[in-house]
Amino acid sequence: MDEELPGTPSQRPRTQFLLFWGQLFLLILLPCFGSSACNRVDSESLLSLDFKVSLPLNWSASSYCCSREGISCHQDYDHHDQRVIRLWLPGRGLTGVISPSITNLTHLTTSNIPTIPSQALSQRTFLPPSLVLSSQLQIINLSTNFFNGTIPSSILVLSVSIFNVSNNIFSRSLPINSGGNHTSLAFLDLSFNKFTKPIPPGIGLCSKLQVFHAGFNGLPGSVPDEIFNLADLRQLFLPVNSLTGPISDGIMNLTNLQILELFSNQFSGPIPSHIGNLSRLENLLLHINNLTGPLPLSLANSTNLSTLNLRVNNLTGDLSAFNFSPLQRLTTLDLGNNNFTDDDSLGDPDGFQSLQVFALGGCQFTGQVPTWLANVRTLELLDLSFNLITGSVPGWLASLANLFYIDLSNNLLQGGFPSELCGMPALTWKEAGNQASQSSLELPVFVKPNNASDQQYNRLSNLPPAPAIYPSNNSLNGSIPIEIGRLKFFHVLDLGHNKFSGSIPDQVSNLTNLEKLDLSYNNLSGEIPASLKGLLFLSSFSVAYNDLRGLVPSGGQFDTFTISSFEGNPGLCGPRSNTHRKLLTGLIVAVGYCIGFGFGFGFGYKQNFLVIKLEFH
């Protein structure tokens, strides 16, 4: 039975009449909509792009091009058709070549090209040299792919405001030229590529530039002075290059600068004395350079500073003369591995109420662990390693509820391991332990004075610091407290190169997250607790050079440790020492055979004597 039309019987003929003519009207206009719906050139250009993608696209010659996945259009009233203005296909696994037909999309304003998977490395992935894009294109994002070769200078057309090609394999020169007109460019990210030519002339023409990222390349030479004419610049990011020369006083012209990152270069000379004029500065990262001179007193005027990292330079002067009090927003202060002088590690500064990272390792400071740190309730990471600090490890460090990383290694500390530290909240509470493991803070403390590496620093600085206490290489004595088993979120326990005595507490086996356990070069006695083989994440272990006796545990991670983990303990025996004996027995047999062969073969010649000393434990 046919469905009845709405309305009264007298209204139905009129309704049928309207429906009939409405449908006929749509049928007549449908071809017109089809021909004007999408510009023919745009439609054909999209199909000729011939993207090879890991996830299929809903594109076909019969489909309305403006309804295709990732495509947006707008009405061109002059030509009565729809023009493609947006091509947005992130995460589709693009392989192959970007076809020059993309240049036919002359109304394109936004383009995000899909990410290329690693298996596409064997295929050609480059930008056509003849690429001349739409004069209306505003956003170009080719980041995080495997594009290589050079970037055509024609790609930065007048209208482009955002240009991002970071995380690729582009090489040679930056796509800037002195004859170009880049007055619309506000965001330029060229970082994580292989550009090896100096920053070219023309960057000063980008009068509206707010963000300039070109870090992690191989850029040589100096920073062009014309960069300091970019009055709108907010971020200057040029780390891990080969840039040289002094940091120009012209940087004071960048009064809107918020982020200045020039670390891991070869800059020399002093930090500009008036750098404090940059009152909006939030992040100042100049570590791993060759900078000299004192910490500029004017820097105290940069009251918006959140991160100050000057580690691994040749800076000098008395830090106690610098007034840190105005820097109330400072969360990270890393001045380690310099030549500062200060007998009491900054004295007693008024401030630091937001400080999370305090790092002064490798500065040869004397005195004791500064007591004013007890008032820094926000502190999470503390590095005072490689100094000349005396006294004892303060138990009041345990009162800092957020503190989960302490490096006091390579100092002159004495006394015992405070049992109070075994109750540190961030290392005993589950919630606090999770927060510590997920910390986004940089780890500034692994760079040792004679072991600073650009690649090492920048690889590890992105990792969350593992909860740990490092009191190694001091003169700490006494027994290891049994309360140490409460530090359940410890990843590293390094008590090596001290004077600890007594036995290894069985409670250490409660540290189920432990990855490294170093008790070497102490005066420990007794047996190695068999329960330690239950530490499933333990990848580094050493009890070398103590006075331990008994069986070496077998099973678990202990089957992976080498003999060097146990050497220097005459009383140890077990699978590892038996293996050692077997190796030595084989060596004796081999040497004996060679000696016998030598005597037999060389009879009648001048005799040589071979003395072999073998020690058995």
Side-chain angles (χ1 to χ4, degrees):
M1 180 177 179
D2 294 335
E3 184 178 349
E4 291 189 356
L5 294 172
T8 63
S10 61
Q11 293 175 324
R12 288 173 186 168
R14 181 183 177 187
T15 302
Q16 292 174 334
F17 176 83
L18 292 175
L19 284 174
F20 171 79
W21 284 106
Q23 292 172 352
L24 180 61
F25 183 73
L26 288 174
L27 288 172
I28 294 173
L29 290 182
L30 189 59
C32 299
F33 286 146
S35 61
S36 64
C38 185
N39 179 271
R40 180 180 58 82
V41 174
D42 285 2
S43 180
E44 293 176 354
S45 298
L46 287 174
L47 294 176
S48 63
L49 291 178
D50 192 26
F51 285 137
K52 296 179 178 62
V53 292
S54 58
L55 296 175
L57 291 173
N58 185 23
W59 288 14
S60 67
S62 61
S63 66
Y64 168 45
C65 80
C66 294
S67 66
R68 295 171 189 166
E69 183 179 358
I71 303 299
S72 298
C73 299
H74 81 123
Q75 180 69 41
D76 184 352
Y77 293 101
D78 293 334
H79 297 87
H80 307 291
D81 56 12
Q82 297 277 334
R83 303 305 303 265
V84 173
I85 62 170
R86 178 182 170 94
L87 173 58
W88 197 264
L89 297 169
R92 305 298 301 202
L94 168 69
T95 63
V97 180
I98 295 181
S99 170
S101 62
I102 195 174
T103 62
N104 296 329
L105 302 174
T106 55
H107 285 242
L108 197 65
T109 61
T110 303
S111 176
N112 188 325
I113 304 298
T115 300
I116 301 177
S118 58
Q119 59 265 30
L121 277 172
S122 60
Q123 305 187 35
R124 294 190 305 156
T125 51
F126 60 89
L127 300 180
S130 60
L131 190 60
V132 179
L133 298 179
S134 163
S135 60
Q136 300 182 39
L137 191 62
Q138 298 174 11
I139 299 173
I140 301 177
N141 186 353
L142 306 175
S143 63
T144 315
N145 281 291
F146 291 99
F147 291 119
N148 55 39
T150 58
I151 300 178
S153 59
S154 58
I155 200 168
L156 284 180
V157 294
L158 177 63
S159 59
V160 172
S161 60
I162 296 176
F163 184 72
N164 187 352
V165 294
S166 61
N167 290 284
N168 280 287
I169 320 174
F170 290 119
S171 58
R172 298 183 63 80
S173 298
L174 303 182
I176 302 291
N177 62 81
S178 57
N181 190 346
H182 312 308
T183 55
S184 297
L185 194 62
F187 182 100
L188 178 60
D189 193 345
L190 308 168
S191 53
F192 294 95
N193 279 285
K194 296 183 179 296
F195 295 112
T196 56
K197 299 292 184 180
I199 300 174
I203 188 69
L205 299 175
C206 306
S207 56
K208 294 183 180 179
L209 195 62
Q210 298 182 19
V211 174
F212 180 37
H213 289 188
F216 294 84
N217 282 289
L219 301 176
S222 58
V223 177
D225 288 339
E226 58 182 304
I227 284 183
F228 305 127
N229 297 326
L230 302 175
D232 290 337
L233 200 63
R234 267 71 166 171
Q235 299 182 18
L236 181 57
F237 180 86
L238 299 173
V240 195
N241 283 296
S242 298
L243 298 170
T244 58
I247 299 175
S248 171
D249 288 338
I251 203 167
M252 256 64 72
N253 296 332
L254 304 179
T255 55
N256 288 307
L257 202 62
Q258 297 171 338
I259 295 176
L260 177 60
E261 299 193 14
L262 303 177
F263 62 87
S264 295
N265 277 288
Q266 300 170 27
F267 289 110
S268 58
I271 300 172
S273 58
H274 297 292
I275 197 168
N277 291 351
L278 303 179
S279 60
R280 299 185 179 183
L281 202 60
E282 298 175 6
N283 292 357
L284 178 59
L285 280 69
L286 305 178
H287 50 280
I288 312 182
N289 277 290
N290 300 312
L291 299 174
T292 57
L295 187 64
L297 298 180
S298 70
L299 195 58
N301 298 327
S302 298
T303 55
N304 287 302
L305 264 182
S306 172
T307 300
L308 175 60
N309 192 339
L310 305 177
R311 193 182 191 94
V312 192
N313 278 288
N314 296 307
L315 299 172
T316 57
D318 185 356
L319 276 184
S320 62
F322 185 89
N323 182 16
F324 285 93
S325 300
L327 305 181
Q328 295 291 319
R329 299 185 180 182
L330 204 60
T331 60
T332 296
L333 175 61
D334 191 348
L335 305 177
N337 303 119
N338 280 289
N339 298 312
F340 294 119
T341 58
D342 187 350
D343 289 339
D344 53 6
S345 300
L346 303 188
D348 188 3
D350 178 19
F352 290 162
Q353 297 308 305
S354 302
L355 197 64
Q356 296 174 296
V357 175
F358 182 64
L360 289 177
C363 290
Q364 300 300 299
F365 285 136
T366 59
Q368 299 186 357
V369 177
T371 57
W372 56 262
L373 284 171
N375 299 320
V376 185
R377 314 307 298 180
T378 55
L379 195 64
E380 297 184 21
L381 282 82
L382 173 63
D383 172 25
L384 297 176
S385 63
F386 285 89
N387 283 297
L388 301 172
I389 296 175
T390 56
S392 59
V393 178
W396 51 256
L397 288 172
S399 66
L400 302 177
N402 298 305
L403 187 61
F404 68 90
Y405 190 102
I406 303 173
D407 192 347
L408 301 175
S409 64
N410 295 275
N411 278 287
L412 304 174
L413 296 168
Q414 297 179 335
F417 188 97
S419 59
E420 297 95 321
L421 297 188
C422 300
M424 293 179 63
L427 298 174
T428 56
W429 298 349
K430 181 177 181 179
E431 293 77 10
N434 290 339
Q435 181 180 358
S437 299
Q438 296 170 4
S439 173
S440 61
L441 296 174
E442 287 191 353
L443 177 59
V445 290
F446 71 92
V447 178
K448 305 305 180 186
N450 300 316
N451 192 30
S453 163
D454 294 358
Q455 298 304 319
Q456 181 190 38
Y457 189 96
N458 294 299
R459 181 175 68 252
L460 294 183
S461 65
N462 295 322
L463 299 177
I469 297 178
Y470 292 91
S472 59
N473 287 276
N474 280 284
S475 296
L476 301 180
N477 53 37
S479 61
I480 300 173
I482 61 175
E483 294 88 353
I484 205 162
R486 297 173 58 191
L487 300 172
K488 297 182 181 298
F489 299 99
F490 246 29
H491 286 225
V492 177
L493 178 59
D494 187 351
L495 304 178
H497 292 268
N498 277 289
K499 298 179 180 179
F500 288 109
S501 58
S503 61
I504 300 173
D506 189 66
Q507 289 80 359
V508 173
S509 61
N510 294 334
L511 310 182
T512 52
N513 290 299
L514 208 60
E515 299 173 13
K516 177 181 179 180
L517 176 59
D518 190 345
L519 304 175
S520 63
Y521 292 91
N522 279 287
N523 300 316
L524 298 172
S525 58
E527 298 183 349
I528 301 175
S531 60
L532 296 184
K533 65 184 181 182
L535 299 176
L536 302 180
F537 298 109
L538 198 62
S539 59
S540 176
F541 175 80
S542 180
V543 291
Y545 297 97
N546 281 282
D547 192 23
L548 298 170
R549 299 180 179 275
L551 289 173
V552 174
S554 61
Q557 292 295 96
F558 275 82
D559 290 344
T560 67
F561 301 138
T562 63
I563 295 174
S564 62
S565 297
F566 309 97
E567 62 186 359
N569 292 277
L572 281 181
C573 59
R576 286 294 164 191
S577 52
N578 287 340
T579 302
H580 199 181
R581 284 196 182 94
K582 291 177 182 178
L583 291 174
L584 288 175
T585 301
L587 179 61
I588 292 170
V589 172
V591 171
Y593 176 80
C594 293
I595 292 173
F597 180 79
F599 277 128
F601 182 78
F603 182 78
Y605 291 89
K606 182 180 179 180
Q607 293 185 359
N608 292 298
F609 294 93
L610 178 64
V611 178
I612 301 175
K613 181 181 180 182
L614 299 175
E615 296 183 358
F616 295 90
H617 301 304

